[in-house]
């Protein structure tokens, strides 16, 4: 596929697969919006909003936040964007109910989800990626202590902010996140496979290698 216009892409995969890392790169390369429901939820929690208060306990346990809360949050986010010209959805949708809601929202904008990229990464690698992840508290850029370290330990290269581990990157919570993910993934992927827009991509390798595979996968989707 020649990417000649803004498009809508969803990057899916298990916890730590690299969804955030790669969705940010794709958004920047193709000039798309970037929507991470995980980042939006953490922002709601940090600002102690009503929605954040409702979501926090689910997140701390590593469970999915109920679909109704996600729907409210995504709707509000979409309405706050001016001049919607395509988006890289990061870890969204996670359930078939969320997928149907997104279909409806995009239809109102006269758009549709063009491609779904699924990152395949084995469990032992996922645990290592989650436990080594550090995120900037100021600007949100994500690092890894071994695979993608900052130039100066604990300090963000981009803005000089402080790097910290996420609360839900404790091993017991990571395992629950994996369980919650598995409970919903098969039905979701089956839905997109049936539409012919699902591309499964090997998520193991350097970030550049994975990025190149994703771009190839986007090109392979007929529109
Ligand atoms: P969310 O923040 O989305 O967490 P997640 O799905 O568990 O995914 P992660 O953010 O952990 O990982 P990622 O795949 O983005 O990987 P990353 O690029 O950071 O959600 C958190 C919680 O919010 C959920 O548990 C749930 O409670 C709730 N939630 C969110 N969305 C929801 C929804 N739609 N519905 C219901 N509930 C929802 O990479 C991980 C690490 O690996 C980093 O350190 C990175 O530097 C490193 N890395 C990246 N690529 C590579 C590579 N190729 N090789 C080696 N290391 C790499």
């Amino acid at each position: 596929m020649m990417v000649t216009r803004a498009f809508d892409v969803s990057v899916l995969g298990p916890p730590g697969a690299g969804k955030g890392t790669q969705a940010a790169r794709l958004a920047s390369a193709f000039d798309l919006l970037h929507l991470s429901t995980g980042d939006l939820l953490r922002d709601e929690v940090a600002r102690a909003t009503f929605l954040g208060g409702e979501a926090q306990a689910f997140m701390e346990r590593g469970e999915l936040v109920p679909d109704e809360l996600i729907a409210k949050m995504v709707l509000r986010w979409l309405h706050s964007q001016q001049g919607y010209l395509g988006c890289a959805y990061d870890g969204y949708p996670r359930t078939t109910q969320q997928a149907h809601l997104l279909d409806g929202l995009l239809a109102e904008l006269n758009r549709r989800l063009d491609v779904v990229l699924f990152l395949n990464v084995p469990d032992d690698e996922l645990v290592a990626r989650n436990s080594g992840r550090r995120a900037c508290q100021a600007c949100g850029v994500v690092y890894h202590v071994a695979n993608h370290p900052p130039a100066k330990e604990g300090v963000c290269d981009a803005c000089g902010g402080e790097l910290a581990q996420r609360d839900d990157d404790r091993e017991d919570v990571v395992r629950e996140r994996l369980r919650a993910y598995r409970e919903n993934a098969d039905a979701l992927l089956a839905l997109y496979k049936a539409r012919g827009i699902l591309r499964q991509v090997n998520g193991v390798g350097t970030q550049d290698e994975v990025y190149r595979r994703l771009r190839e996968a986007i090109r392979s989707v007929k529109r």
Side-chain angles (χ1 to χ4, degrees), residues 14-21 37-38 41-42 59 63-65 70 91-92 94 98 125 129-130 133 142-144 147-148 166 168 177 203 205-207 210:
K19 303 182 291 293
T21 302
T37 43
L41 285 166
R42 279 184 287 279
M59 296 172 76
E63 296 168 10
L64 289 192
V65 171
I70 299 293
Y92 175 78
R94 288 189 201 212
Q98 291 182 18
E125 170 93 12
R129 286 191 190 181
N130 280 289
R133 170 171 40 204
V142 173
Y143 299 85
H144 189 279
N147 307 327
H148 180 49
R166 257 168 54 178
D168 64 351
R177 282 161 57 205
T206 66
Q207 294 185 8
V210 176

Side-chain angles (χ1 to χ4, degrees), residues 39-116:
D39 286 348
L40 281 188
L41 285 166
R42 279 184 287 279
D43 182 57
E44 296 280 348
V45 171
R47 291 187 293 115
T49 63
F50 177 77
L51 201 149
E54 296 281 297
Q56 189 168 14
F58 294 97
M59 296 172 76
E60 283 172 355
R61 290 194 297 267
E63 296 168 10
L64 289 192
V65 171
D67 288 335
E68 313 80 71
L69 287 184
I70 299 293
K72 270 188 210 157
M73 188 179 71
V74 171
L75 195 60
R76 205 169 56 199
W77 182 86
L78 276 174
H79 285 159
S80 73
Q81 302 303 312
Q82 292 175 343
Y84 183 97
L85 286 171
C87 183
Y89 293 95
D90 162 359
Y92 175 78
R94 288 189 201 212
T95 64
T96 51
Q97 195 179 330
Q98 291 182 18
H100 294 310
L101 178 96
L102 179 62
D103 288 342
L105 294 175
L106 288 174
E108 280 175 26
L109 297 165
N110 208 18
R111 305 187 67 87
R112 63 184 153 75
L113 198 54
D114 297 290
V115 52
V116 175

Side-chain angles (χ1 to χ4, degrees), residues 192-210:
Y192 289 132
K193 190 172 178 190
R195 286 188 198 170
I197 59 170
L198 176 68
R199 293 293 180 272
Q200 303 218 29
V201 174
N202 177 5
V204 178
T206 66
Q207 294 185 8
D208 286 348
E209 285 165 348
V210 176

Side-chain angles (χ1 to χ4, degrees), residues 92-204:
Y92 175 78
R94 288 189 201 212
T95 64
T96 51
Q97 195 179 330
Q98 291 182 18
H100 294 310
L101 178 96
L102 179 62
D103 288 342
L105 294 175
L106 288 174
E108 280 175 26
L109 297 165
N110 208 18
R111 305 187 67 87
R112 63 184 153 75
L113 198 54
D114 297 290
V115 52
V116 175
L117 301 169
F118 177 81
L119 289 166
N120 269 312
V121 177
D123 282 8
D124 52 351
E125 170 93 12
L126 293 173
V127 173
R129 286 191 190 181
N130 280 289
S131 59
R133 170 171 40 204
R134 300 291 180 271
C136 176
Q137 301 303 287
C139 73
V141 170
V142 173
Y143 299 85
H144 189 279
V145 290
N147 307 327
H148 180 49
K152 186 172 173 207
E153 194 183 328
V155 179
C156 179
D157 292 344
C159 77
E162 185 190 347
L163 304 186
Q165 187 168 35
R166 257 168 54 178
D167 291 341
D168 64 351
D169 276 344
R170 284 199 333 259
E171 191 173 332
D172 56 329
V173 185
V174 171
R175 294 204 182 282
E176 178 55 27
R177 282 161 57 205
L178 270 167
R179 192 204 58 73
Y181 152 78
R182 287 209 181 90
E183 205 170 274
N184 294 284
D186 286 352
L188 188 62
L189 296 187
L191 179 83
Y192 289 132
K193 190 172 178 190
R195 286 188 198 170
I197 59 170
L198 176 68
R199 293 293 180 272
Q200 303 218 29
V201 174
N202 177 5
V204 178

Side-chain angles (χ1 to χ4, degrees), residues 26-42:
L26 291 171
S28 165
F30 292 105
D31 209 10
L32 305 174
L33 297 171
H34 177 193
L35 169 66
S36 158
T37 43
D39 286 348
L40 281 188
L41 285 166
R42 279 184 287 279

